[in-house]
Amino acid sequence: MSDSDGVSGGVAAPAFDRNTVLIFDTTLRDGEQSPGATLNLGEKLEIGRQLARLGVDIIEAGFPIASPGDFEAVTRLAQDVGQMEISPVIAGLARASKMDIDRAWSAVQWAKKPRIHTFLATSDIHLQHKLRITRNDCVEQVGEMVSHARGLCKDVEFSPEDAGRSDPEFLWQVLAVAVKAGATTLNIPDTVGYCTPVEYAAMIQGIVKNVPGIENVIISAHCHNDLGLATANTLAGIRAGVRQVEVTVNGIGERAGNTSLEEVVMAIHTRRQYFGGLRTNIDTTQLVRTSKMVSAMTSIVVQPNKAIVGVNAFAHEAGIHQDGMLKNPLTYEIMRPETVGWTETNLVLGKHSGRHAFSERLKTMGYELARDELDRAFERFKVLCDKKKTVTEADLEALVADQFENINEVYKLGALNVTSGTGTVPVASVRLIDEEGESHEDAALGNGPVDAVCNCINRITGADAKLTEFHVHAVTEGIDAIADVTIRIEMSNGGGKKFVFSGRSADTDTLVASGRAYLSALNKGLRSKQTVK
Ligand code: KIV
Ligand code: ZN
């Protein structure tokens, strides 16, 4: 992997173009840290390929030392998405330790453009209470570890974690050491979402003024949304000199989430003059498609009023607005829905559609399935066509997401029967099939039909899972609509601590979808128990 200088591998960091804001997508790393958003390998690859189509410059594929699964996912993304003709940089996260950095390099080295992203906290709160090291220890560790990373890879990003609450002068000192040791990007995280836009911009300006060598590196913004200011802070950072933004699709992430990719991109696009003519490399028409895919695969529903990608983002309800829109859309619309990928492609396929048309349709939606995956999806599509007259893109999205979600199952749903009504206690009987193909059956009562199904699955599997959230939504209009069920459960993974797992399933029968969604979340919990052991 080393190039001709024999020093370090990969290629140099992206060319420095002051007029372009680089989009660093961390949906697969910080975004996946949302409670219950765990993605399997197949889902990560699909999202990675869609991010490349969207035009992101850098994909943070994961935290390779975190688990063998994370290592494998980053490696596969580097080998697949990282080898595409026009491939994004593939970054792997590492704490500022040799072991972490070596592990990250082992995973990202297969990409055409690999990056090591290493971090160490700089706020006194973190140094004293979390790391229990002095400021001097911190400075020394940053110098050594950035230089170690740089010995492996030409493209190295350094983040002073909790920069937003760090003493500015100490922050400049640490950043200067990182630049000297070879960092090519300096990322400035507001880790706890504490800053206001004016403060965040001032922090960037302070760095621009006081860090020697800063003119040779890219400054990056990484904001969390605890006070609902992540996008505002990131945009303020751009005005102050930031040229890389760390964002997630739909703004998903730890706690209140990260800066939302689509919001920053469309702010730059729509208010180009305000941002001094800056641009991004994003194909904005792919935004809605990407949002839908991430929502489907993480089981995190997008709120209807979410900017850009929420279903109501372009809906005008008030009569006065509708009147204005009919006269001239400019009256109430600052961007066109088509610009971000909202299209009227409702009627797509029917029972006479062939395999080729089906696979082409999926491709335009961003899904490139392997042959066996396509076979399974096509089979389910045909079953659906018998139940539903018109199959829309939304139906296909639900069908494919369900298929990706329900692989690697510990238990499969064999049969489900529910009796409920007035004057009777709901009762469910369920048959589950385990990995050896053995059947397990039981019956249980519940407060309602869904509760009865969940109780029954718990009885069979012996799991201590508890349903904490349940959402059902009709994918399309009409009596024959698919029910898309998203659930969250709380479950211990063996060590006494409770973890959140999510599940999603779609079926024309709401109770079947509920049972499968519950089982899907439970399977993730059972799998994580197996890996903990
Ligand atoms: O929020 C944060 O500080 C991070 C760093 C690891 C960059 O995610
Ligand atoms: Zn973060």
Side-chain angles (χ1 to χ4, degrees), residues 29-30 191 222 224 258:
R29 200 276 299 170
D30 226 347
T191 304
H222 179 114
H224 280 266
N258 286 62

Side-chain angles (χ1 to χ4, degrees), residues 117-137:
H117 175 193
T118 186
F119 70 99
L120 187 67
T122 47
S123 69
D124 288 331
I125 301 175
H126 278 233
L127 293 181
Q128 286 165 21
H129 302 289
K130 186 182 83 172
L131 301 172
R132 302 210 166 103
I133 59 172
T134 65
R135 285 187 174 190
N136 282 344
D137 296 334

Side-chain angles (χ1 to χ4, degrees), residues 246-259:
E246 302 205 350
V247 290
T248 60
V249 176
N250 301 334
I252 64 168
E254 212 58 95
R255 308 182 308 276
N258 286 62
T259 305

Side-chain angles (χ1 to χ4, degrees), residues 190 194-205 223 227-240:
D190 178 20
Y194 181 73
C195 294
T196 63
V198 171
E199 287 169 338
Y200 193 78
M203 177 163 61
I204 301 297
Q205 281 156 354
C223 299
L227 293 173
L229 294 171
T231 298
N233 287 344
T234 300
L235 295 175
I238 292 173
R239 297 251 300 172

Side-chain angles (χ1 to χ4, degrees), residues 418 420 426-427 445-453:
V418 185
S420 78
V427 55
L445 304 173
N447 292 329
V450 174
D451 188 46
V453 171

Side-chain angles (χ1 to χ4, degrees), residues 146-444:
V146 170
S147 150
H148 177 67
R150 194 53 215 276
L152 299 168
C153 184
K154 282 200 170 74
D155 186 348
V156 173
E157 172 171 330
F158 171 71
S159 293
E161 192 190 7
D162 204 16
R165 291 188 301 169
S166 300
D167 166 19
E169 294 197 6
F170 179 61
L171 182 63
W172 303 335
Q173 186 191 349
V174 173
L175 293 176
V177 168
V179 173
K180 206 160 169 216
T184 44
T185 298
L186 292 180
N187 179 44
I188 313 301
D190 178 20
T191 304
V192 289
Y194 181 73
C195 294
T196 63
V198 171
E199 287 169 338
Y200 193 78
M203 177 163 61
I204 301 297
Q205 281 156 354
I207 291 166
V208 170
K209 242 199 203 151
N210 295 291
V211 176
I214 196 75
E215 60 286 358
N216 301 318
V217 302
I218 294 174
I219 308 176
S220 166
H222 179 114
C223 299
H224 280 266
N225 205 30
D226 299 67
L227 293 173
L229 294 171
T231 298
N233 287 344
T234 300
L235 295 175
I238 292 173
R239 297 251 300 172
V242 155
R243 288 296 177 270
Q244 173 185 289
V245 292
E246 302 205 350
V247 290
T248 60
V249 176
N250 301 334
I252 64 168
E254 212 58 95
R255 308 182 308 276
N258 286 62
T259 305
S260 144
L261 181 150
E262 55 281 359
E263 289 173 14
V264 172
V265 166
M266 288 315 293
I268 295 172
H269 188 92
T270 310
R271 301 299 309 277
R272 199 140 179 219
Q273 257 186 328
Y274 177 77
F275 288 103
L278 289 173
R279 57 182 295 278
T280 71
N281 292 319
I282 295 296
D283 173 358
T284 59
T285 63
Q286 292 287 327
L287 286 171
V288 167
R289 188 151 281 162
T290 314
S291 159
K292 284 186 178 168
M293 182 187 280
V294 168
S295 167
M297 291 194 166
T298 55
S299 308
I300 298 178
V301 178
V302 176
Q303 73 196 59
N305 58 325
K306 168 82 178 64
I308 323 292
V309 293
V311 284
N312 290 348
F314 292 87
H316 298 270
E317 186 75 16
I320 204 167
H321 286 208
Q322 290 175 352
D323 179 53
M325 285 291 292
L326 288 171
K327 289 174 176 151
N328 184 343
L330 281 177
T331 50
Y332 286 103
E333 213 166 60
I334 58 165
M335 35 190 173
R336 299 293 304 148
E338 308 86 80
T339 310
V340 300
W342 285 111
T343 47
E344 299 275 340
T345 49
N346 261 348
L347 209 130
V348 269
L349 299 165
K351 68 200 265 178
H352 301 296
S353 307
R355 200 170 179 284
H356 181 68
F358 176 72
S359 108
E360 285 305 305
R361 189 74 224 169
L362 286 182
K363 261 190 214 158
T364 64
M365 290 169 60
Y367 293 99
E368 293 212 29
L369 305 191
R371 179 179 277 273
D372 59 324
E373 289 169 345
L374 187 65
D375 288 345
R376 265 189 297 144
F378 189 59
E379 213 173 284
R380 294 193 64 199
F381 161 71
K382 284 290 175 186
V383 173
L384 182 62
C385 287
D386 279 337
K387 294 184 184 168
K388 215 172 169 285
K389 262 197 239 136
T390 53
V391 177
T392 66
E393 259 195 21
D395 292 321
L396 293 185
E397 191 86 50
L399 188 142
V400 176
D402 183 296
Q403 180 168 318
F404 272 101
E405 172 94 13
N406 293 299
I407 54 172
N408 204 14
E409 295 167 305
V410 181
Y411 290 100
K412 270 192 188 41
L413 186 65
L416 179 146
N417 206 314
V418 185
T419 313
S420 78
T422 49
T424 176
V425 180
V427 55
S429 64
V430 173
R431 183 166 71 241
L432 299 183
I433 319 285
D434 69 19
E435 289 174 291
E436 272 79 50
E438 223 173 280
S439 288
H440 306 261
E441 290 172 334
D442 211 330

